[in-house]
Amino acid sequence: MAEEKKKKSNIDIPPKSPWRRIMPMVIVFALVAVVLPEWVSHYWVNSISSVVCLTMTAATVALLYGQLGMVSLAQFALAGVGGWVCLRFLHGFDIPFEIGVLLGGLIAGVFGLLLGLPALRMRGLYLALLTLLVAAAFQVIVNVISFPDGGPGFTGKVETGARVLIGRPWLAQSDAAYFRYLMVWLILVMGFLEWQRASKSGRAWALIRKSEAAATAAGVSVVGYKARAFFMGGVAAGLAGGLLAGLNGQLEYSGFHVSQSILLFALVVVGGAYNWLGAVAAGLLIRALPALLNGHGVDGNLANVFFGFATLVSLIQGRKGIVGQLADFFKFVRMSRIVEGTIIWFAIAGLFGLVYMYLDKTSFGGAFFTALVALLFRVAIPGVAWLLLGFFGKPIQDRAEDVEAYLSLRLAQLMAKIGLIPDHRLIKRGLNWWFNGFFIAWVVWGVFEVEFAYGLALVWGAMSLKIISEKLLYPAVLPLRNAIDKKFPKPLAAYR
Amino acid sequence: MIEIKNITVQFGGVKPLDNLTVTLDQPIVGLIGPNGAGKTTLLNVFSGFVTPTSGEVAINGKSITQRERRFDLNLTPMTQFRASLFTRMKPHKRVSLGLRRTFQTDQIADDLTLLENVQAVADHGFAKKSPAMQEDVKRAIDYVGLTRRLHRKGSDLSTEERHLAEIAKALIGKPSLVMLDEPGAGMSEAESEHLAQVIRGIPDYCGAQVFLIDHDVDLIVACCSQTMVLDFGKLLAVGPTRKVLELPEVRKAYLGDFGELERAA
């Protein structure tokens, strides 16, 4: 009996099928598609729509970089090719929007394949240089022949008068509807890419990434699978370009500047190239952050300073990106805490959502979302602050740690003397408290149009409520916690 | 059965293999030799990563070396081109001949589970996805004794487990020749014993011939009935393992010349 039990505990839970792996992504995207347009202002619906297109492009960069270690700086140019082809066909012929987008994707895919041909022999810096030059060439070409500027006919140019815009698809005329339409495309494209990662192609890519010789010895056609990745990347980027063209009815050639390609790659590294959320993070950073700054009346280009800094930090921190680090953090949390946390987080967020809606300060969703973000960053930010210190060098980071430890200890002793519960992380918690409050309140001030003071109250309120409920509910949830711990004794990482 | 005829490999002035001719017919064959003897080069010739300058290798009577590309004025260019297409077998196609190999450094992808790692080989060894393929993968993993680690990520496996997983990868499909390049590197004695047991069972498991390279002479003795010794690209000895290891020239190549040392002292 005992032996049997031991044997059983050694066998892990079977791996998820490809479908089960992409399901979380599909559910999250579907929820966002349904809910988000109801919560945010008109300005933000448009911004988030372009985030969706950028996410799709970022996913192709992540595919090539994360799966094969190949740096392609031309993905943005390929999106440009897709957008260009889509616009030309829609102007020139009377075809449905989708056909134009698909044609753009297909032709961009062919270009991606051509681009990939040298990639079969090159790697690293040389491949990056080559793709960079291709992106630059694209920029020059569209500059000379002028980007589709909305004249009539297939080759049409505007001689006089205003540009002609292409129409949106008939079922997605409004901004909110077009956003949902984009989300459907995003689910299809990223779902397909994730599916590939989780099945035969993904396994072959993993072998190639490990070593091309070993992949060859295992019967993998290295050339074929590299070319396949480049083709898929090209198609997805082209689709993104066509959809971006549909968003505004036109495209500006300045939107496909080489620097954008480089920025996109850097942000994929910052966001994390090994996870679908990394592409989403990259899309948000490249479009939503400048939009946020602009919304506050700050020049959006200021975001580039942050991007440079973030890239440095994520290179120091082992190239997993923001998402990779968050995922690592959750790996070592026990199942019971996750269940418990989810329930408490959602209860608190729901409570704040109701209160703010009743006070008419913002929508239910806005307050709900803000509270959730506050609770999430409650655990993530101290690490980030310490990480930033690491930027000045290890000795300074160590010294700061020492000072912090000394002060915390004294503070804890003082508290014990007064008769309070000593807490050795008081300083970090305090810093976190301030930073979180001001930062998140500032963001929601822009996005959900909550007054700053109310935003601050919301963040701090959610965080203090979490602490209070933890203390008060501890005896009540203990049996539940023990029961779950008994069933899932290991951290989350053991149950993938 | 491996037949090697006059194989020479030349990289500029270096000859890792020099006119090597040998026939290996035992189910488990060992290959030893000091560093730089040409062991791995020979394996690379088998798997097609290295084109021999001259000579031929046949496995079970089927030639696997690339034909020399020389001009024959009697043939039209098109015929020559066609001939070169068919005789040059690409390395990744050699899997279909039943050639399997492992590498000195294990090639387990860190972010795939053990099952997925082995599955990745099966993906290309079978015509299409079938229950037999899944069965074969599970059977191979079970054979090397790693069923309990089926869903562990590659990064969570120990050195021993990674080496065994490499062997499992080499047993997928219908192998006719399994080449193991130092599978025992970095293993403890007990682990080595299990490894020897696994290697000894391979001919019975799938009917393949095993070609084992290792520096661990104990492992070679425990597994191989026939052993060949290479030294600077030349065949030093071949024959039954114990007899070969007792030959004075083999000892000299491996351990150095004691007489010379004594004279120096």
Side-chain angles (χ1 to χ4, degrees):
Chain A
M1 186 66 202
E3 207 171 58
E4 194 180 298
K5 207 175 177 189
K6 195 183 166 201
K7 213 174 168 187
K8 206 174 175 186
S9 72
N10 271 335
I11 296 171
D12 297 342
I13 289 168
K16 295 169 182 173
S17 66
W19 167 239
R20 286 205 42 205
R21 266 194 222 188
I22 62 173
M23 208 158 59
M25 183 185 82
V26 172
I27 291 172
V28 168
F29 282 164
L31 270 178
V32 169
V34 171
V35 171
L36 200 73
E38 307 295 327
W39 289 356
V40 295
S41 62
H42 177 77
Y43 168 74
W44 275 96
V45 171
N46 262 343
S47 294
I48 299 286
S49 292
S50 63
V51 166
V52 173
C53 298
L54 265 294
T55 297
M56 213 186 276
T57 320
T60 70
V61 177
L63 174 78
L64 291 171
Y65 181 63
Q67 291 299 299
L68 286 165
M70 295 196 291
V71 179
S72 169
L73 296 176
Q75 294 309 111
F76 220 87
L78 288 175
V81 170
W84 191 85
V85 170
C86 171
L87 275 178
R88 284 283 59 129
F89 273 101
L90 289 178
H91 278 308
F93 306 103
D94 190 22
I95 49 173
F97 180 75
E98 288 78 13
I99 304 284
V101 171
L102 284 175
L103 275 172
L106 208 62
I107 292 175
V110 173
F111 273 92
L113 197 59
L114 288 177
L115 180 68
L117 286 180
L120 307 175
R121 303 236 168 245
M122 286 175 166
R123 40 182 31 215
L125 181 63
Y126 300 102
L127 178 61
L129 276 176
L130 181 101
T131 53
L132 181 66
L133 291 178
V134 170
F138 176 77
Q139 187 193 337
V140 172
I141 290 168
V142 294
N143 230 336
V144 171
I145 63 173
S146 89
F147 213 64
D149 48 5
F154 186 67
T155 55
K157 281 190 181 182
V158 174
E159 304 294 344
T160 51
R163 287 178 165 190
V164 182
L165 304 184
I166 58 163
R168 287 180 179 176
W170 62 270
L171 79 168
Q173 290 294 329
S174 73
D175 282 343
Y178 193 70
F179 169 73
R180 287 177 180 142
Y181 177 77
L182 284 179
M183 288 305 287
V184 173
W185 275 99
L186 187 69
I187 289 174
L188 289 178
V189 170
M190 283 190 68
F192 179 74
L193 294 182
E194 282 293 305
W195 183 285
Q196 287 293 316
R197 279 182 42 169
S199 53
K200 184 174 169 181
S201 304
R203 292 192 287 266
W205 287 331
L207 285 188
I208 294 173
R209 189 166 68 235
K210 183 73 191 175
S211 135
E212 288 186 14
T216 308
V220 175
S221 159
V222 174
V223 171
Y225 276 95
K226 276 189 174 177
R228 182 185 282 213
F230 263 98
F231 181 69
M232 281 179 197
V235 171
L239 292 177
L243 293 170
L244 202 58
L247 179 62
N248 299 320
Q250 59 172 353
L251 283 175
E252 295 286 339
Y253 74 84
S254 58
F256 297 93
H257 203 273
V258 184
S259 64
Q260 291 285 310
S261 288
I262 301 175
L263 189 60
L264 186 69
F265 175 72
L267 290 180
V268 167
V269 173
V270 170
Y274 305 99
N275 195 315
W276 60 271
L277 270 173
V280 177
L284 280 172
L285 283 173
I286 200 169
R287 275 292 182 274
L289 188 62
L292 179 67
L293 290 169
N294 283 332
H296 282 308
V298 184
D299 187 352
N301 290 324
L302 207 63
N304 288 345
V305 179
F306 169 75
F307 294 156
F309 203 68
T311 310
L312 268 173
V313 169
S314 66
L315 288 181
I316 295 167
Q317 288 291 310
R319 290 157 210 219
K320 279 189 176 174
I322 300 173
V323 174
Q325 285 180 14
L326 270 182
D328 275 0
F329 175 79
F330 277 105
K331 252 190 202 169
F332 300 108
V333 181
R334 281 210 214 159
M335 232 24 182
S336 56
R337 309 301 152 87
I338 290 176
V339 171
E340 210 179 289
T342 314
I343 295 170
I344 294 181
W345 284 21
F346 275 82
I348 293 175
L351 180 70
F352 273 96
L354 287 175
V355 169
Y356 271 64
M357 190 173 66
Y358 182 71
L359 294 175
D360 206 17
K361 290 300 167 198
T362 181
S363 64
F364 173 78
F368 183 79
F369 183 72
T370 311
L372 275 187
V373 169
L375 291 171
L376 177 69
F377 278 86
R378 185 181 58 90
V379 285
I381 290 293
V384 175
W386 244 238
L387 220 141
L388 292 184
L389 269 178
F391 185 65
F392 298 105
K394 189 82 176 116
I396 289 183
Q397 195 182 18
D398 287 350
R399 195 59 55 83
E401 290 267 9
D402 289 348
V403 171
E404 193 266 344
Y406 175 79
L407 287 179
S408 296
L409 183 68
R410 281 294 138 94
L411 207 60
Q413 284 171 346
L414 196 70
M415 283 174 73
K417 213 173 264 175
I418 299 171
L420 293 168
I421 307 162
D423 182 349
H424 65 285
R425 282 181 299 182
L426 209 65
I427 291 180
K428 276 189 183 177
R429 279 177 205 263
L431 280 176
N432 196 13
W433 205 264
W434 283 102
F435 183 80
N436 251 344
F438 285 115
F439 181 69
I440 297 172
W442 179 72
V443 171
V444 296
W445 181 29
V447 180
F448 298 117
E449 287 157 4
V450 188
E451 280 163 55
F452 187 73
Y454 281 97
L456 206 59
L458 175 55
V459 177
W460 285 349
M463 284 161 70
S464 30
L465 210 60
K466 171 79 172 81
I467 291 176
I468 294 167
S469 63
E470 232 169 29
K471 294 272 180 279
L472 286 182
L473 292 178
Y474 180 71
V477 296
L478 203 56
L480 175 74
R481 190 187 276 188
N482 286 340
I484 299 174
D485 271 349
K486 213 171 185 181
K487 208 172 173 195
F488 300 101
K490 287 187 234 165
L492 191 66
Y495 306 99
R496 47 174 158 258
Chain B
M1 188 161 78
I2 311 170
E3 290 163 281
I4 304 171
K5 279 180 206 152
N6 304 326
I7 284 283
T8 299
V9 174
Q10 192 161 5
F11 300 131
V14 186
K15 274 191 185 174
L17 289 176
D18 192 358
N19 204 13
L20 188 69
T21 304
V22 65
T23 301
L24 306 163
D25 50 4
Q26 291 294 319
I28 303 182
V29 182
L31 169 57
I32 57 173
N35 286 330
K39 303 184 296 286
T40 302
T41 308
L42 185 60
L43 223 60
N44 281 340
V45 169
F46 286 1
S47 29
F49 294 134
V50 170
T51 315
T53 319
S54 66
E56 200 187 356
V57 176
I59 292 181
N60 295 336
K62 199 171 176 195
S63 170
I64 57 161
T65 32
Q66 299 178 10
R67 201 75 57 77
E68 288 166 69
R69 269 181 284 170
R70 64 168 103 87
F71 271 113
D72 189 343
L73 289 174
N74 297 324
L75 297 174
T76 63
M78 199 58 210
T79 323
Q80 282 192 27
F81 176 67
R82 277 209 198 111
S84 75
L85 271 189
F86 286 113
T87 49
R88 275 195 293 157
M89 188 163 217
K90 285 186 179 152
H92 75 263
K93 300 265 179 177
R94 290 181 182 225
V95 171
S96 61
L97 285 180
L99 290 183
R100 303 282 189 277
R101 75 168 286 182
T102 68
F103 290 80
Q104 270 177 27
T105 48
D106 61 79
Q107 306 292 348
I108 302 297
D110 284 339
D111 50 346
L112 297 187
T113 63
L114 172 62
L115 183 69
E116 285 171 327
N117 263 301
V118 182
Q119 180 82 49
V121 182
D123 283 340
H124 305 277
F126 285 79
K128 61 179 178 192
K129 207 174 173 181
S130 63
M133 175 174 99
Q134 303 283 350
E135 200 54 39
D136 201 43
V137 170
K138 295 248 169 75
R139 204 167 82 99
I141 293 176
D142 189 46
Y143 172 70
V144 297
L146 286 181
T147 305
R148 70 210 144 86
R149 294 276 182 267
L150 208 54
H151 302 298
R152 285 291 161 89
K153 291 241 165 169
S155 51
D156 298 343
L157 299 176
S158 72
T159 315
E160 184 210 6
E161 287 163 352
R162 291 164 81 95
H163 281 296
L164 288 172
E166 274 283 279
I167 294 178
K169 276 166 73 179
L171 298 180
I172 296 299
K174 286 197 175 63
S176 56
L177 176 64
V178 176
M179 302 172 275
L180 306 173
D181 197 352
E182 300 197 13
M187 281 198 188
S188 74
E189 215 160 286
E191 290 165 348
S192 227
E193 223 156 82
H194 174 60
L195 179 71
Q197 204 184 331
V198 167
I199 294 174
R200 277 199 302 265
I202 291 177
D204 286 337
Y205 172 78
C206 58
Q209 191 177 10
V210 179
F211 192 64
L212 172 65
I213 298 184
D214 215 302
H215 277 303
D216 183 357
V217 178
D218 289 338
L219 184 68
I220 297 275
V221 171
C223 298
C224 309
S225 43
Q226 187 181 29
T227 296
M228 69 188 267
V229 187
L230 281 181
D231 191 19
F232 290 109
K234 291 204 165 103
L235 184 68
L236 204 60
V238 64
T241 306
R242 288 203 177 275
K243 269 190 189 165
V244 164
L245 288 175
E246 276 161 15
L247 291 173
E249 61 262 35
V250 172
R251 295 187 153 242
K252 191 177 152 195
Y254 241 96
L255 304 171
D257 189 345
F258 281 105
E260 210 169 77
L261 273 177
E262 275 163 23
R263 273 196 298 280

